[in-house]
């Protein structure tokens, strides 16, 4: 979990953002709307940030679990 959201909920969010950014980018590209294309790119970047955050947190969860087991706290 990150805050009050599960990893699965965050994954749904970033996948939705990625999908919508792709649609926006495609439509804006057809009309040569560079500001909108840039915005869609920023949304795509944030989506990737969320994906990476999940992976980092999962790794940290696993490391903490292993430390607890070593210390006999788990």
């Amino acid at each position: 979990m990150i805050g009050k959201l599960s990893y699965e909920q965050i994954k749904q969010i970033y996948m939705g953002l990625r999908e919508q950014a792709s649609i926006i980018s495609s439509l804006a590209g057809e009309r040569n709307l560079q500001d909108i294309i840039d915005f869609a790119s920023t949304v795509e970047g944030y989506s990737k940030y969320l994906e990476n955050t999940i992976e980092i947190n999962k790794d940290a969860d696993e490391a903490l679990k292993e430390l607890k087991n070593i210390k006999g706290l788990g």
Side-chain angles (χ1 to χ4, degrees), residues 5-60:
L5 298 174
S6 70
Y7 293 138
E8 187 58 35
Q9 288 172 313
I10 295 171
K11 181 178 180 179
Q12 290 172 353
I13 292 168
Y14 81 70
M15 294 297 289
L17 286 172
R18 188 171 292 163
E19 182 180 340
Q20 297 305 313
S22 176
I23 292 168
I24 291 168
S25 183
S26 176
L27 293 172
E30 293 171 2
R31 293 164 181 79
N32 199 26
L33 302 171
Q34 191 58 46
D35 287 344
I36 303 298
I37 294 168
D38 292 345
F39 171 76
S41 178
T42 300
V43 171
E44 173 70 28
Y46 184 67
S47 169
K48 187 64 176 170
Y49 166 78
L50 289 175
E51 182 179 14
N52 291 336
T53 299
I54 289 173
E55 293 306 314
I56 290 168
N57 277 273
K58 282 182 177 180
D59 290 345

